[in-house]
Amino acid sequence: MPTTPFHALDDYIALPRIEALALSPDGTRAVLTVATLTKDATGYERSLWQVPANGDGAPRRLTRSAKGESGAVFLPGGDLLFVSARPDTEAADAEDAGQLWLLPAAGGEARPVTRLTGGVSDIAAVADAAERLVLAAALLPSAETLEDDARLRAERTKRKVSAILHDTYPVRHWDHDLGPAEPHLLALDLADLADTLAAVADEADAVGADAADPGTTDAAATQPYPASLPRPVDLTPRPGRTADTAGTALTPDGATLVAAMHVAEGLTGRYRLVSIDVATGAHTVLRDEEGVDLEAPAISHDGATLAYVRTVKTTPAGPTEQELWVSGLDGSSPRRIAAEWDRWPSGIQFDHDDQALIVTADSDGRGPVFRVPLDGGGVEQITRDDFTYTHVRVDLRTGDLVALRSSWVAPSHPVRIARDGAVTPLASPAPLPTVPATMTEVDTTAADGARVRGWLLLPEGASAAKPAPLLLWIHGGPLNSWNAWSWRWNPNLAVARGYAVLLPDPALSTGYGLDFIARGWNSWGAAPYTDLMAITDAVEARPDIDETRTAAMGGSFGGYMANWVAGHTDRFRAIVTHASLWALDQFAGTTDHAGYWKSIFTTEAMAENSPHRAVADIRTPLLVIHGDRDYRVPIGESLRLWAELMEHHGGSDGSTVHRFLYFPDENHWVLKPQHAVVWYDTVFAFLGEHLLGEEPTRPAGLG
């Protein structure tokens, strides 16, 4: 039997992973963010690699530090910016927050550009024709200055205070607590970057004077912001949570920032477009509509046109379109483009000549690149392969594109896309691994006539003489599509163990138009469920599939669906339910964004579509998995599921066929490499017991 990195979990977690791409202003160089396994195999470290953007040459490593680097973007002159918590020799030893660093295009070592006590969250926007940028960073609410923020943080640390006082909603997001610091947008002019001995000496004198002042209690916390670094200017003083933006864009000259800023509305809120004068900090509302989100602003290369995504808020009555709009930079003359195009944009930017938008969107189980003309012409699909494209960048000289692409048989890798759609792979520090699967498109017709499709991954040797056991993998979201490589849910690991894996897109999936989503709206247990059963029926009818050995599994919405399946059919031998929704009425008030649930479910539908109501009907062994740091689907869902499984199906002696795998320090995802090994070991042991007749085993990592 052939061996690939997917046949051994230790080999799998050691595969390097390309996570992001930046393109140099002259279009000749691409910089990749690459994650590699640490020496102790307990985490990932990230570094930046440069590759030629024309398909020639070889990768060259640019950075190397124990803390790693991320968020790479180019300045107009070719210097490279990135965020890293690497040591700054001129900072206090205890400082380890991520800061902005600059790697000169002319050569030399990277140097720090910021020294914010709370660190830099992200590079929000960079000007195309000026050495100006905007940072996202968090400051404590009482801080009037950067020095105040340092002092207040030092005081909390000294007193070991972790408490947070909230007066807004939400209080948590995904896997982290919000606050006490608030998100800010800070402008930075790198023309002020001084790298001279005199500037460093002036800074040392200022620090020395503060340290000698008998009135100071903590010199490190009260010293002024470094004179050798450009001082960030706060564009959002007293922001609350408004600077939790849904996109930002800077004009080419760096004079104006357009941000999709949050407006709180009880449990929910909306995003409006705000123009911020970088020199004065003055805010001007460009577009604001009640009941509408205005997001993902992009500015043309000539600085004259603004593009954005407009979405009317959903209600239980149905989903709404994500519309492409353009206007003047000041918000004037807004108009919708591509009104007949029934796809949801996942990324937008202007083409090299500003005559069209370059857009990515889910479509029919793929993620192509599209060109959307501003003059009302038809949408052109640029790529037509079985890949999904991300991190698309425009070469302003030629109009070609540079991007990352992936599919279920190829992890993310860099490519160049010509104007005619021809794709050329670029050199990569992470060569594509050999996978054990072949990928086949499958579909069926649902009872209401809708086409339901998916990908089927088959192991080598699957045939009528040797049919493969089948795993139905249900995607999360639910507004999602199984169209791109996932390191977290990777079916190749199952294929390497002899399973066939079905990756379907049932009702609610994106890439098939609004009507397809609407089929499952406010009714998750109806068309999504029957679609899954219909396409499973079609695949089980294949001679290379063993319909007597099947299992279902999913996470998040996929976990909800796995729970629903468990209560409504006994056709599967085993079910794996990860980070799953169990009791919707309970979940609606404990998830991190409770308001969303009021916008997609009626009270009646929430009750009717709650999996917990069918707990007594469950006949299939369940493996329940959850992380305690999951704020999107709180641990209470699985705790209640487990308790009710035991109540209804546990033995009188406390025994059960079900299992509960619990991660105290993981979130919605299981991200630590060794925890991923434990996850897969446990899943495959559970499936092996119930589908393959193997003896029950306890993975070594579980003691």
Side-chain angles (χ1 to χ4, degrees):
M1 180 176 179
T3 298
T4 72
F6 303 89
H7 285 80
L9 289 170
D10 287 343
D11 293 339
Y12 171 70
I13 63 173
L15 288 171
R17 308 171 178 196
I18 298 177
E19 297 181 336
L21 177 147
L23 183 64
S24 64
D26 62 6
T28 63
R29 297 172 291 145
V31 168
L32 308 174
T33 303
V34 182
T36 53
L37 193 66
T38 57
K39 289 183 178 180
D40 64 2
T42 62
Y44 290 96
E45 56 189 13
R46 288 158 178 82
S47 56
L48 304 181
W49 291 72
Q50 180 175 290
V51 300
N54 61 0
D56 296 332
R60 180 167 67 89
R61 186 167 183 165
L62 298 178
T63 65
R64 187 187 304 272
S65 75
K67 295 292 186 178
E69 297 82 25
S70 62
V73 296
F74 279 95
L75 287 171
D79 293 342
L80 185 69
L81 297 172
F82 59 86
V83 177
S84 177
R86 55 169 59 192
D88 177 355
T89 57
E90 298 172 12
D93 292 340
E95 294 181 7
D96 61 357
Q99 303 292 349
L100 183 67
W101 290 71
L102 183 148
L103 184 64
E109 294 186 0
R111 61 151 302 168
V113 178
T114 62
R115 200 175 299 160
L116 296 165
T117 306
V120 171
S121 305
D122 194 12
I123 302 171
V126 176
D128 287 342
E131 302 286 298
R132 295 175 182 171
L133 64 144
V134 173
L135 302 172
L139 304 176
L140 291 172
S142 298
E144 297 288 347
T145 65
L146 301 180
E147 289 80 3
D148 282 348
D149 185 65
R151 175 182 56 79
L152 292 166
R153 289 176 183 272
E155 187 69 16
R156 280 178 62 88
T157 300
K158 179 180 178 180
R159 295 179 179 274
K160 297 183 179 180
V161 174
S162 60
I164 303 169
L165 178 64
H166 291 281
D167 57 9
T168 60
Y169 186 89
V171 301
R172 307 195 295 182
H173 178 70
W174 195 253
D175 63 351
H176 60 277
D177 297 310
L178 298 181
E182 299 171 337
H184 286 245
L185 297 173
L186 307 178
L188 203 62
D189 192 335
L190 295 186
D192 297 336
L193 185 60
D195 199 6
T196 66
L197 293 177
V200 174
D202 290 344
E203 181 181 332
D205 289 343
V207 172
D210 278 343
D213 184 350
T216 60
T217 57
D218 188 340
T222 58
Q223 63 182 270
Y225 194 78
S228 59
L229 301 178
R231 186 179 181 90
V233 177
D234 193 354
L235 299 179
T236 53
R238 302 290 183 185
R241 304 302 306 185
T242 62
D244 277 327
T245 67
T248 53
L250 200 56
T251 54
D253 61 3
T256 303
L257 178 75
V258 176
M261 301 191 73
H262 190 256
V263 180
E265 295 176 318
L267 290 181
T268 60
R270 68 180 187 275
Y271 288 97
R272 63 183 180 184
L273 295 177
V274 177
S275 174
I276 304 175
D277 186 292
V278 173
T280 66
H283 287 215
T284 303
V285 176
L286 299 180
R287 304 287 301 168
D288 186 12
E289 302 178 57
E290 292 212 10
V292 174
D293 283 321
L294 304 170
E295 303 171 293
I299 296 175
S300 61
H301 303 294
D302 64 7
T305 307
L306 174 67
Y308 54 93
V309 177
R310 178 183 183 274
T311 309
V312 176
K313 292 284 190 180
T314 58
T315 71
T320 58
E321 291 281 12
Q322 294 186 0
E323 307 165 357
L324 285 172
W325 284 67
V326 293
S327 71
L329 183 63
D330 60 358
S332 61
S333 304
R335 58 188 175 88
R336 185 180 179 185
I337 61 173
E340 303 303 317
W341 188 51
D342 195 8
R343 292 294 182 265
W344 286 5
S346 56
I348 66 172
Q349 61 190 296
F350 280 85
D351 203 354
H352 73 300
D353 58 5
D354 289 339
Q355 299 303 303
L357 297 180
I358 300 297
V359 180
T360 52
D362 292 345
S363 185
D364 200 41
R366 290 100 170 149
V369 183
F370 300 88
R371 184 176 290 112
V372 182
L374 302 189
D375 63 5
V379 175
E380 173 191 354
Q381 184 172 330
I382 300 174
T383 60
R384 295 186 175 277
D385 48 28
D386 291 338
F387 290 91
T388 287
Y389 289 79
T390 65
H391 299 82
V392 179
R393 305 290 182 258
V394 178
D395 182 348
L396 297 182
R397 301 171 310 155
T398 65
D400 288 356
L401 308 173
V402 176
L404 298 179
R405 72 171 184 178
S406 74
S407 73
W408 285 112
V409 292
S412 189
H413 57 283
V415 297
R416 186 176 190 89
I417 308 167
R419 295 290 293 179
D420 63 1
V423 178
T424 302
L426 304 184
S428 172
L432 294 179
T434 300
V435 298
T438 57
M439 187 173 78
T440 301
E441 190 165 19
V442 293
D443 64 13
T444 192
T445 302
D448 62 359
R451 171 177 172 260
V452 180
R453 61 153 304 284
W455 296 110
L456 177 65
L457 273 65
L458 289 167
E460 183 177 353
S463 64
K466 189 180 178 182
L470 178 68
L471 303 183
L472 167 65
W473 284 29
I474 311 167
H475 69 61
L479 304 177
N480 199 358
S481 173
W482 274 138
N483 63 9
W485 182 275
S486 168
W487 289 104
R488 180 61 205 96
W489 284 76
N490 198 295
N492 287 284
L493 293 167
V495 173
R497 286 150 182 81
Y499 296 99
V501 179
L502 173 59
L503 304 166
D505 280 352
L508 292 172
S509 297
T510 53
Y512 306 93
L514 200 65
D515 289 344
F516 192 82
I517 295 172
R519 293 174 61 243
W521 200 259
N522 197 37
S523 187
W524 286 10
Y529 170 69
T530 55
D531 283 359
L532 290 171
M533 296 304 99
I535 197 167
T536 301
D537 288 342
V539 169
E540 285 182 354
R542 293 170 56 102
D544 51 5
I545 298 298
D546 184 351
E547 76 279 3
T548 69
R549 295 185 296 164
T550 62
M553 53 196 297
S556 194
F557 166 76
Y560 161 90
M561 209 68 247
N563 293 338
W564 186 268
V565 167
H568 290 79
T569 180
D570 60 359
R571 67 184 293 171
F572 298 102
R573 288 195 181 185
I575 293 176
V576 179
T577 176
H578 171 92
S580 65
L581 291 70
W582 175 242
L584 294 191
D585 58 342
Q586 167 186 282
F587 170 79
T590 58
T591 182
D592 54 352
H593 293 279
Y596 178 71
W597 290 89
K598 297 183 182 298
S599 72
I600 64 171
F601 272 116
T602 61
T603 303
E604 296 76 14
M606 196 178 296
E608 292 169 2
N609 290 274
S610 189
H612 82 282
R613 298 170 66 244
V615 63
D617 298 325
I618 292 177
R619 299 291 180 266
T620 307
L622 265 65
L623 171 58
V624 181
I625 309 177
H626 221 116
D628 209 353
R629 296 288 295 176
D630 186 350
Y631 294 163
R632 180 56 45 89
V633 182
I635 185 67
E637 293 299 297
S638 285
L639 293 177
R640 180 170 171 180
L641 166 57
W642 185 246
E644 293 182 354
L645 280 176
M646 296 300 291
E647 176 187 358
H648 289 271
H649 305 292
S652 58
D653 59 353
S655 62
T656 179
V657 297
H658 307 295
R659 297 290 182 268
F660 187 4
L661 178 61
Y662 168 66
F663 293 95
D665 57 351
E666 293 284 3
N667 58 72
H668 201 59
W669 300 88
V670 175
L671 299 179
K672 298 178 181 179
Q674 294 305 321
H675 279 169
V677 170
V678 168
W679 193 96
Y680 279 109
D681 272 341
T682 305
V683 167
F684 290 138
F686 184 74
L687 295 176
E689 175 185 352
H690 295 288
L691 270 69
L692 308 181
E694 298 174 352
E695 287 297 317
T697 59
R698 176 179 291 269
L702 296 176

